[in-house]
Amino acid sequence: MSWFYRTFIRPALFAHESEEIHNRTLAALGKAGGHPALCDALAAFYAAPALPLEVLGLKFPNPVGLAAGMDKQAAAAPVWPALGFGFSELGGVTRHAQPGNPAPRMFRAVADSALINRMGFNNPGAEALAQRLANWRALGRWPAHPVGINLGKSKITPLETAAEDYSSSLRVLWPHADFFVVNVSSPNTPNLRQLQDKSALDEILAALQAVNAGCAGSSAAPKPVLVKVAPDLTFEALDEILELVGPRQLAGIVATNTTIARPTTSDTELQRVYAETGGLSGRPLCARSTEVIRHLHRQTKGALPIIGVGGIFTAADAWEKITAGASLIQIYTGLVYEGPAITRAIVTGLQERLAARGLRGIRQAVGIGA
Ligand SMILES: Cc1cc2nc3c(=O)[nH]c(=O)nc-3n(C[C@H](O)[C@H](O)[C@H](O)COP(=O)(O)O)c2cc1C
């Protein structure tokens, strides 16, 4: 199926501008999401075999998730399980609706199976996302897997009041997701990545956990809050973030976001794309994101759940992330290049690897190569 996609479908899609194709695909999937029969038909082609695991206190049907940024508006929320995903991270969403950066803002580096984007958190705002999710639930179309929401900072909000911006989004969205990811690592909102500094992040997490506890009240548990980090951070900077895990009850780390680094290449077409401002994702990111995962796993002695993301295209890539220390993995660029059969191929390949090593489940494989 991946072969069919790569040979016939991808060339047709790649003949058009990448954001336009993204929007058209999401609109089509959104329509399918409203119709159980269409979702069943998609599931007949693309559903992944069961490879269940429990992480973050949540039950996942398999460890392969949809990365943030693909479905910023929850337009196609019911469809992701039908395409084989074991969980989805919707958003990034900000407190205030915003248009993002001027287009064009998403570019393909085809020879390297990579993308560059500088979307800048184009999104409908936290209230509208909450409404969309409430609608899916009212229609009985809530996705049959754990749902996370990626929280960003509104562009109009100064860094000094970022904590209030993030926590206001969490308050609005709290009832509508199973876990939340604090995105302080996007390269496309001016100075956002400064919020990865320990004291700034501490302030944001304190505010978020206060809202989390308040929303949970006495009858429910607070929801898992994770932080998503940039691959461009030094190990020392990552260690500082880890110092907040205990004091701020961090449930895990998502590693990693896109990179501002660029590979060197003599290919003039790639040079042209790599000259674009923005975050690079896909194959060139794979090794660095795995290094970050391995470092985080070692530093925490495997005690902190890590969601591994960056350049995963195959079961071998996913296995590398898991054995480096990731309990769950996510894909974005791999879906663009390999098509929707990628999830089943990865889950099947993971099952084979577990069986070949006599391991009972993904939990037994986490970090064995770290
Ligand atoms: C077009 C685009 C938009 C993205 N938007 C977000 C976002 O809103 N929030 C976020 O945390 N990451 C965002 N990401 C980063 C991805 O979630 C992921 O971390 C990164 O692309 C690396 O994974 P990949 O190599 O599988 O694409 C975006 C990536 C792309 C390509």
Side-chain angles (χ1 to χ4, degrees), residues 236-311:
E236 290 73 28
L238 290 167
D239 292 346
E240 288 204 358
I241 293 177
L242 289 179
E243 286 169 20
L244 298 174
V245 168
R248 295 298 172 213
Q249 293 97 45
L250 266 189
I253 303 273
V254 183
T256 66
N257 214 313
T258 55
T259 177
I260 54 168
R262 297 289 185 269
T264 47
T265 173
S266 53
D267 180 320
T268 50
E269 171 57 15
L270 284 178
Q271 283 172 351
R272 188 186 61 75
V273 181
Y274 287 157
E276 295 289 350
T277 302
L280 173 69
S281 60
R283 272 207 205 288
L285 175 60
C286 189
R288 176 60 191 167
S289 109
T290 305
E291 262 175 32
V292 170
I293 292 163
R294 189 174 293 114
H295 178 79
L296 294 169
H297 179 83
R298 281 185 184 151
Q299 293 300 92
T300 57
K301 301 190 170 53
L304 185 72
I306 299 168
I307 301 183
V309 51

Side-chain angles (χ1 to χ4, degrees), residues 185-208:
S185 48
S186 166
N188 301 315
T189 295
N191 304 322
L192 184 84
R193 300 190 322 160
Q194 289 177 22
L195 298 175
Q196 292 175 118
D197 290 347
K198 190 177 169 190
S199 63
L201 186 57
D202 189 37
E203 196 186 324
I204 292 168
L205 293 175
L208 284 172

Side-chain angles (χ1 to χ4, degrees), residues 16 22 24 27 36 92 173 179 185 230-231 252 271 330 332 344 353 356:
H16 300 270
H22 176 92
R24 285 191 356 208
L173 287 160
F179 68 93
S185 48
Q271 283 172 351
Q330 293 177 318
Y332 186 126
R344 191 174 51 200
R353 283 164 176 78

Side-chain angles (χ1 to χ4, degrees), residues 214-238:
C215 290
S218 52
S219 53
K223 294 189 176 175
V225 173
L226 297 87
V227 169
K228 186 163 179 180
V229 297
D232 308 311
L233 289 180
T234 61
F235 286 168
E236 290 73 28
L238 290 167

Side-chain angles (χ1 to χ4, degrees), residues 22 66-70 72 89 91-93 105-106 113 115-119 121-122 150-151 181-186 188 228-229 254-259 279-283 285-286 309-313 330-336:
H22 176 92
L66 180 78
M70 180 64 80
K72 287 179 191 272
E89 186 179 328
V93 65
R105 51 192 181 174
M106 199 199 290
S113 303
L115 297 172
I116 287 187
N117 90 83
R118 52 169 178 268
M119 307 303 289
F121 288 145
N122 54 311
N150 183 276
L151 303 173
V181 178
V182 188
N183 178 5
V184 279
S185 48
S186 166
N188 301 315
K228 186 163 179 180
V229 297
V254 183
T256 66
N257 214 313
T258 55
T259 177
L280 173 69
S281 60
R283 272 207 205 288
L285 175 60
C286 189
V309 51
I312 298 173
F313 286 72
Q330 293 177 318
I331 45 183
Y332 186 126
T333 308
L335 182 61
V336 172

Side-chain angles (χ1 to χ4, degrees), residues 342-367:
I342 187 172
T343 43
R344 191 174 51 200
I346 291 178
V347 176
T348 305
L350 290 176
Q351 283 181 322
E352 288 163 5
R353 283 164 176 78
L354 290 172
R357 288 159 184 82
L359 299 172
R360 289 189 314 281
I362 289 294
R363 290 297 290 268
Q364 277 75 45
V366 174

